[in-house]
Amino acid sequence: MTAPMIAMNGITKSFPGVRALSDVSFDVRAGEVQALVGENGAGKSTLIKILSGVYHADAGEVHMNGEAVHFAHPVESLRAGIAVIYQEFSLLPERSVAQNLFLGREPRTRLGLIDTSRMRAEAREVLSLFAAAGHIDPDSLVGSLNVATQQVVEIAKAVSTGARVVVMDEPTAALNETECEELFATVDTLRNRGVAIIYITHRMREIARLADRVTVLKDGEVAASFDTLPSPDAIVRAMVGRDIEDFFAPKAKPDEIGDPVLTVRGAGNDVLRDIDLDIRAGEIVALAGIQGAGRVALAMALFGEAPFATGDVTLAGEAVSFRSARAAIAGGIGLLPGDRKSEGLVLMQSVRDNGMLTSRAFAPLWTSDQRNDNADTTRMDALLDQMEIRAASYEQDIRALSGGNQQKAIVARWLSMRPKLLIFIEPTRGIDVNSKAGIYHLMRDLAREGAGILMISSDLPEVIGVADRVLVMQSGRIVAEFPHDASEQDIMHAATAETEVAA
Amino acid sequence: MTDTGSPRSSALRRRLSQINPVWVLLVLLIAAIIFMNPRFVEPTGYMNFLKRAAPLAILAAGQVYVIVSGGFDLSVGSLITLVVVGSSMLTNNDPAATYWVIPLMLTMGLGVGAINGLIVCFLRVPSLIATLGMMITLNGLAFLWSGGAPRGYLPDTFRFFGRELIRDVPLVRFIPVSVLVLIVVVGVFAWAMHRTNLGRHIHAIGDNPVAARLAGVPVNRVRITAFMISGLSGAIAGILLGGFAGVSTDVGAGYELQAITAAVLGGAQLLGGKGSVPAAFGGALALTAIFTLLNFLGLPQPVRQVVQGLILIAAVALAMHRRKQTGT
């Protein structure tokens, strides 16, 4: 067997407080597609940045064609024949395809002028290598092409500069069905030409269609590597580290559901109309709907941020009408915001300070650490431990943590308050699979302890996997209700169908 | 790989990089002063230095509260003037009046801060503008009160805090009263900022006011308190300055920008979220040391302004650079 085109051995890389990669070995041979799979934060991008010279590994070595290489800068790896195709393109939109292909190395005439006709001819030649690029006019402006075609131009550019290794980072993220097919054909062409391809993705379909081998990264380590194409189940198991069945927490049993925690009758405001809503203790209710259907507005109305103008709200048997978030929290409602960075975290503060933000907000201003606060600090640390938050220390700035760990710190904030009703807005957006499972189980634990839970999510499998009951909103109203075993199609239909004017 | 090095040396490097550069700067400046004037190491040398730095250091410690909460307080310079002028008018050469004038001035400082805070919170005027307006207003008030010609005396009982020394102290021979005031104020301010809920909330509202509100932090109450603490620091600084600088209608001019410069030298994050009272104290000492050096070199007053302006820009640029390196 020939030496691999690229072999990375024992790569280790730490960032302050976080070990991003530990002892990762990875290789790719000429003429094959090696799929690199893993959740967000698993270390895929870090590994690629080490390969291309953006980062430097703390330990380990990179070999190219059997020789050790040290790239200090992306320019050096590019010169050695490693092309990384990022999701954002490096093409100039206001230049033609041919100009982009030969940017910085234009063919010259004897007088030193750019030889446009030769450039055009050579561009046509390069493009003709790709079935999907056959129809591209070298004179058309790159900005006028669709995303998939631009991608082909980018790849053609890499090939024409003599790239022997092409790295593609989730290349289908912005493509539609037909465009994906074009891209797959392009990848096939590259493979047949003997290029080594590293293909980063987490879509099983693409792996099945393209990959010769698969390497799964999880938490900065190689969780599995397959020399032949494995079954999707095997990949998922390696990615998640557990079977898919215990990914979601079990649903509530009938005897776990108690009295109503929250009752809303005929409530409305500028965006909401005729809201009737019941949430019982021990129950997780999901709010589904499309963007702008009023789900977040409903959450913010309950939370006092944008209160109801009309209607009645009862919380644990008492009529309430909260005019501010602070009042709502005092009354026993908690809310995990949808945009972690802009609404949830105080990024420059420590993990512990983020966790204690709310409990401190309801202690006297002049309370000091030396006084009764101290006990709370240990309790918060115990909570953070229990949630398995990965941080160098709880004194560390929270911004250095992964999304999942940040989210857990916000959940810890609410756990310490023991709210009667807890609203989760997009609780797992942008976090890794293990943190997702952790948060699902936490939600269930909270419900079992008697809280009512309202979850807003745009992720339908999540809605179905987590909720005991699903409400669908549209144009500021609740338009449908489903039991926990509803299908995605039913929910989607209710969320998008034209509502019959019933009122 | 290129960036090898034993783990121990890299840990040491990390530890070193966590030292606030203001302390390094201060040590270098003090060394330069000692080099130019060896008598600085005697108590008369460094105690006089601390005495001169005290009003600015107290002001900077108060300014940090507002900066960390995400604002600026430009009104403290005029507040100093108003305190000095007002005290001289109210005491009217009566030594006994000091005992009610000083509490009254401290209350006025808190009151001016409260008004600043209320304007920022409820009228939604950006703090830069709100306190700029307050600065002009207070300056005008000081002029009106004194009729433009303040009576040039404050009773000795009032000047006690800015001028007097406590003698026969072991080790250092004497301590100026103003240095004692400085130690107490900076100590209390540092405790409140870094060891209490109030301090944590000031950090939180400057870091991300939306997140703080959604987490239940009483944002307005905390912001107004920050301005009140800054106002209090202005009143204390005014009482000290009245003691050793005497009465004039420009006694506080320029102090607000010096206080901001000192806080930023100490690494306070403009626009909020991060800052330290002890480091602002260090920044004030460093700034005073720079002025002292310029004095030794015989450079005229305008040069001080040029230097101060450049320092402010350099300190912010350095803070941005460090943030880019450590942040994500």
Side-chain angles (χ1 to χ4, degrees):
Chain A
M1 198 184 279
T2 53
M5 182 68 88
I6 292 289
M8 303 177 80
N9 294 321
I11 302 290
T12 297
K13 174 76 186 171
S14 298
F15 295 108
V18 187
R19 170 156 281 206
L21 293 173
S22 50
D23 195 23
V24 170
S25 295
F26 175 80
D27 66 78
V28 57
R29 302 189 198 101
E32 72 165 5
V33 175
Q34 164 77 284
L36 187 56
V37 193
E39 278 297 314
N40 294 332
K44 295 169 296 182
S45 305
T46 309
L47 188 66
I48 294 310
K49 283 180 175 161
I50 287 170
L51 174 63
S52 63
V54 177
Y55 293 153
H56 304 280
D58 299 335
E61 37 195 31
V62 182
H63 292 268
M64 190 166 183
N65 271 330
E67 283 174 41
V69 287
H70 304 278
F71 300 127
H73 191 273
V75 170
E76 294 180 12
S77 63
L78 196 61
R79 208 172 288 147
I82 299 174
V84 182
I85 316 283
Y86 289 104
Q87 289 164 12
E88 301 84 27
F89 301 124
S90 58
L91 301 174
L92 306 176
E94 295 298 322
R95 292 270 190 281
S96 75
V97 170
Q99 281 169 329
N100 267 289
L101 284 175
F102 293 97
L103 189 70
R105 48 189 189 94
E106 292 86 353
R108 304 275 168 175
T109 64
R110 229 169 299 160
L111 293 173
L113 299 173
I114 292 174
D115 190 341
T116 42
S117 57
R118 210 175 98 205
M119 191 162 90
R120 204 171 293 138
E122 287 183 12
R124 209 163 270 134
E125 202 175 307
V126 174
L127 292 172
S128 70
L129 297 175
F130 300 95
H135 58 275
I136 302 175
D137 177 359
D139 287 329
S140 51
L141 291 185
V142 163
S144 70
L145 306 173
N146 68 26
V147 180
T149 316
Q150 288 189 27
Q151 215 161 33
V152 175
V153 174
E154 179 103 21
I155 293 166
K157 182 179 168 188
V159 170
S160 72
T161 58
R164 292 176 293 163
V165 181
V166 171
V167 183
M168 303 170 113
D169 190 356
E170 302 199 12
T172 56
L175 304 188
N176 65 28
E177 278 300 295
T178 13
E179 290 169 338
C180 282
E181 275 312 315
E182 286 180 24
L183 178 82
F184 298 156
T186 308
V187 175
D188 285 336
T189 313
L190 283 178
R191 169 166 37 200
N192 293 337
R193 290 177 56 82
V195 174
I197 298 150
I198 301 172
Y199 192 98
I200 299 176
T201 186
H202 49 235
R203 299 189 185 177
M204 294 304 142
R205 198 173 61 103
E206 292 172 23
I207 297 171
R209 164 74 176 76
L210 291 173
D212 299 301
R213 294 194 292 149
V214 179
T215 297
V216 181
L217 283 185
K218 179 172 173 291
D219 299 334
E221 293 175 21
V222 176
S225 63
F226 303 95
D227 276 337
T228 53
L229 190 63
S231 73
D233 278 352
I235 298 175
V236 170
R237 212 173 302 126
M239 269 167 76
V240 180
R242 71 180 91 197
D243 281 322
I244 206 81
E245 287 77 52
D246 24 307
F247 181 53
F248 293 115
K251 299 291 171 85
K253 299 185 198 77
D255 63 321
E256 284 175 356
I257 293 178
D259 296 332
V261 171
L262 177 85
T263 314
V264 181
R265 288 290 173 267
N269 60 19
D270 291 352
V271 273
L272 300 168
R273 277 183 301 159
D274 310 327
I275 301 292
D276 287 344
L277 176 65
D278 292 281
I279 298 175
R280 295 170 168 274
E283 181 184 42
I284 300 178
V285 177
L287 266 187
I290 56 171
Q291 212 65 179
R295 295 169 302 161
V296 175
L298 176 53
M300 289 306 177
L302 292 171
F303 198 53
E305 268 283 290
F308 291 121
T310 56
D312 302 308
V313 181
T314 315
L315 183 68
E318 283 177 48
V320 293
S321 143
F322 300 124
R323 301 275 126 190
S324 72
R326 191 170 161 80
I329 296 166
I333 300 183
L335 178 136
L336 186 116
D339 188 333
R340 202 159 45 241
K341 282 223 162 84
S342 72
E343 299 170 337
L345 296 169
V346 282
L347 281 169
M348 282 181 261
Q349 316 306 323
S350 72
V351 180
R352 189 186 292 136
D353 286 347
N354 270 278
M356 296 187 69
L357 194 54
T358 301
S359 50
R360 281 178 173 151
F362 287 88
L365 279 187
W366 297 97
T367 307
S368 79
D369 294 354
Q370 280 73 34
R371 303 241 300 277
N372 54 21
D373 219 16
N374 211 13
D376 284 349
T377 317
T378 34
R379 220 181 66 201
M380 175 52 61
D381 286 3
L383 252 175
L384 296 170
D385 286 342
Q386 188 191 323
M387 301 181 73
E388 297 171 358
I389 291 182
R390 278 172 36 141
S393 116
Y394 298 145
E395 309 268 329
Q396 185 189 18
D397 280 8
I398 201 162
R399 65 180 160 185
L401 267 57
S402 74
N405 284 312
Q406 291 178 339
Q407 193 75 316
K408 286 185 197 165
I410 304 182
V411 176
R413 185 187 289 170
W414 294 115
L415 290 187
S416 69
M417 299 301 291
R418 307 198 155 271
K420 299 174 190 127
L421 172 71
L422 192 46
I423 304 168
F424 287 83
I425 304 179
E426 306 288 357
T428 63
R429 184 187 275 165
I431 71 176
D432 63 281
V433 167
N434 271 308
S435 301
K436 277 187 187 178
I439 284 180
Y440 298 147
H441 284 83
L442 271 167
M443 288 166 79
R444 182 53 71 195
D445 290 346
L446 273 166
R448 285 210 181 108
E449 284 166 25
I453 292 179
L454 181 65
M455 177 183 80
I456 293 174
S457 172
S458 302
D459 182 351
L460 279 181
E462 173 173 292
V463 165
I464 291 164
V466 172
D468 300 316
R469 198 149 59 85
V470 181
L471 302 176
V472 182
M473 285 190 77
Q474 197 186 114
S475 316
R477 297 167 191 255
I478 296 174
V479 292
E481 175 172 343
F482 296 99
H484 67 87
D485 50 1
S487 73
E488 287 189 36
Q489 285 77 5
D490 291 344
I491 295 171
M492 212 50 224
H493 185 257
T496 53
E498 297 289 322
T499 25
E500 294 91 86
V501 184
Chain B
M1 295 278 114
T2 45
D3 56 345
T4 47
S6 71
R8 240 177 67 202
S9 80
S10 80
L12 184 69
R13 211 177 310 144
R14 200 172 311 143
R15 185 89 47 86
L16 278 177
S17 78
Q18 276 171 352
I19 290 183
N20 195 316
V22 74
W23 301 116
V24 180
L25 177 70
L26 183 60
V27 168
L28 292 176
L29 289 167
I30 297 290
I33 291 177
I34 294 172
F35 177 74
M36 297 183 74
N37 174 16
R39 294 186 55 197
F40 185 81
V41 297
E42 292 170 24
T44 22
Y46 61 80
M47 279 303 176
N48 274 328
F49 172 79
L50 284 176
K51 184 176 147 187
R52 233 174 325 117
L56 177 59
I58 288 170
L59 215 50
Q63 187 74 234
V64 168
Y65 278 78
V66 176
I67 291 181
V68 172
S69 79
F72 295 94
D73 188 353
L74 294 178
S75 68
V76 285
S78 313
L79 178 61
I80 288 176
T81 306
L82 187 65
V83 164
V84 172
V85 168
S87 300
S88 82
M89 301 303 290
L90 288 173
T91 50
N92 202 8
N93 291 334
D94 172 12
T98 298
Y99 306 108
W100 60 269
V101 168
I102 284 184
L104 183 70
M105 288 298 134
L106 296 177
T107 312
M108 183 177 80
L110 289 169
V112 168
I115 296 171
N116 280 332
L118 289 166
I119 293 172
V120 171
C121 287
F122 295 105
L123 303 184
R124 312 241 158 237
V125 181
S127 66
L128 202 64
I129 305 298
T131 59
L132 183 70
M134 184 59 77
M135 163 176 143
I136 297 166
T137 309
L138 295 183
N139 241 343
L141 283 178
F143 254 96
L144 283 175
W145 200 345
S146 67
R151 266 162 277 178
Y153 305 106
L154 281 162
D156 283 343
T157 46
F158 189 96
R159 303 190 69 171
F160 170 79
F161 294 99
R163 201 166 59 171
E164 281 310 308
L165 311 174
I166 296 170
R167 290 175 206 285
D168 300 324
V169 181
L171 269 112
V172 292
R173 285 201 305 229
F174 71 92
I175 297 180
V177 177
S178 59
V179 174
L180 286 181
V181 173
L182 169 70
I183 292 168
V184 170
V185 170
V186 170
V188 170
F189 278 24
W191 169 80
M193 184 64 145
H194 302 294
R195 293 281 181 274
T196 67
N197 275 346
L198 173 73
R200 301 260 152 61
H201 292 328
I202 287 176
H203 280 86
I205 67 169
D207 193 332
N208 187 342
V210 177
R213 189 182 71 236
L214 291 177
V217 176
V219 176
N220 288 343
R221 201 191 308 162
V222 171
R223 177 159 286 141
I224 292 167
T225 308
F227 276 102
M228 287 174 72
I229 289 172
S230 178
L232 180 66
S233 78
I236 298 172
I239 290 165
L240 296 187
L241 271 174
F244 66 75
V247 183
S248 75
T249 48
D250 64 351
V251 52
Y255 262 102
E256 63 287 325
L257 286 179
Q258 287 184 24
I260 292 171
T261 309
V264 171
L265 263 183
Q269 189 84 56
L270 287 183
L271 307 180
K274 198 152 227 169
S276 142
V277 169
F281 167 74
L285 294 189
L287 199 58
T288 309
I290 291 169
F291 293 154
T292 308
L293 279 175
L294 295 178
N295 246 349
F296 281 150
L297 296 170
L299 295 170
Q301 174 72 14
V303 176
R304 268 174 71 149
Q305 292 183 358
V306 172
V307 170
Q308 194 195 327
L310 294 178
I311 289 171
L312 182 60
I313 294 170
V316 174
L318 181 70
M320 286 310 193
H321 176 70
R322 297 186 113 215
R323 188 181 185 180
K324 212 166 68 184
Q325 278 193 327
T326 54
T328 40

